[in-house]
Amino acid sequence: MNNSQLINQDSGNFEYYTPIELVNAAREVMGSIDLDPASSETANKQIKATRFYSEDGLNKPWFGNIWMNHPFSRVNNQLWIKHLIEWYERGFGHQACCITFAATSEKWFRPLLNYPQCFIHGRTNYYLPDGTKKKGVTKGSVVTYLGDNTEKFKEVFSELGTVK
């Protein structure tokens, strides 16, 4: 398998943490992070969500302002993105910021194109549990925003990438 195919693969390791500048930008746009539905105790030291789920986040209640860096795999990508969009469109929450790979050719990614997005400049090197950066990222990342504060999203995230 070549590197371009890794976008849909499950390495078995879901402990890849988002760089703090992206989390801080999301917090600035939304005002708070109330829930991280796909997290861990270690990751939440940076995210600082009021509540986080480390297991079974798709089957627990979602609420408030959400930050989501879901576990990536061929199956998970579809499940998490579908759940996020349904949650938002049914009016169950306020706002959400979701970071994914910028996989515009993938079926699971297409529904996100209906929302404001920031295509992060350069590759996003996620952090490992030991605090080191994971090198060799094969795709760019994008943060998708679901909410009514689109002008603030554009203002804040335009410093980190190209907003559409």
Side-chain angles (χ1 to χ4, degrees):
M1 178 178 318
N2 67 41
N3 283 343
S4 66
Q5 295 170 309
L6 294 176
I7 189 72
N8 289 314
Q9 301 310 306
D10 179 349
S11 68
N13 179 6
F14 298 127
E15 297 299 317
Y16 295 106
Y17 308 140
T18 309
I20 192 65
E21 62 270 13
L22 297 175
V23 175
N24 286 342
R27 185 177 291 105
E28 184 176 345
V29 170
M30 297 190 294
S32 66
I33 297 175
D34 302 315
L35 177 67
D36 184 344
S39 194
S40 68
E41 189 172 329
T42 302
N44 199 52
K45 290 178 184 174
Q46 292 286 358
I47 305 299
K48 298 179 182 167
T50 304
R51 186 157 183 196
F52 69 92
Y53 302 141
S54 58
E55 293 181 20
D56 206 23
L58 288 171
N59 294 310
K60 294 182 179 175
W62 289 21
F63 56 90
N65 296 326
I66 289 182
W67 167 261
M68 188 173 87
N69 178 355
H70 70 279
F72 280 70
S73 72
R74 184 171 301 281
V75 173
N76 282 326
N77 294 342
Q78 297 173 66
L79 295 174
W80 285 92
I81 299 306
K82 181 180 179 193
H83 191 80
L84 175 70
I85 290 172
E86 286 178 356
W87 166 85
Y88 178 71
E89 289 184 351
R90 289 182 177 173
F92 292 134
H94 304 292
Q95 305 172 87
C97 283
C98 168
I99 190 165
T100 65
F101 284 122
T104 58
S105 64
E106 301 298 326
K107 184 177 179 181
W108 63 263
F109 186 84
R110 288 184 210 135
L112 295 173
L113 292 169
N114 295 321
Y115 299 94
Q117 295 180 302
C118 176
F119 289 82
I120 305 300
H121 292 159
R123 302 271 168 98
T124 302
N125 291 306
Y126 295 83
Y127 286 88
L128 299 171
D130 67 5
T132 61
K133 281 187 178 183
K134 171 72 174 158
K135 300 291 184 179
V137 176
T138 60
K139 303 281 185 196
S141 294
V142 61
V143 173
T144 303
Y145 174 70
L146 291 77
D148 293 331
N149 205 357
T150 55
E151 286 305 312
K152 184 71 170 180
F153 177 77
K154 184 176 181 177
E155 172 191 327
V156 171
F157 274 89
S158 64
E159 295 179 19
L160 300 168
T162 300
V163 177
K164 70 127 198 98

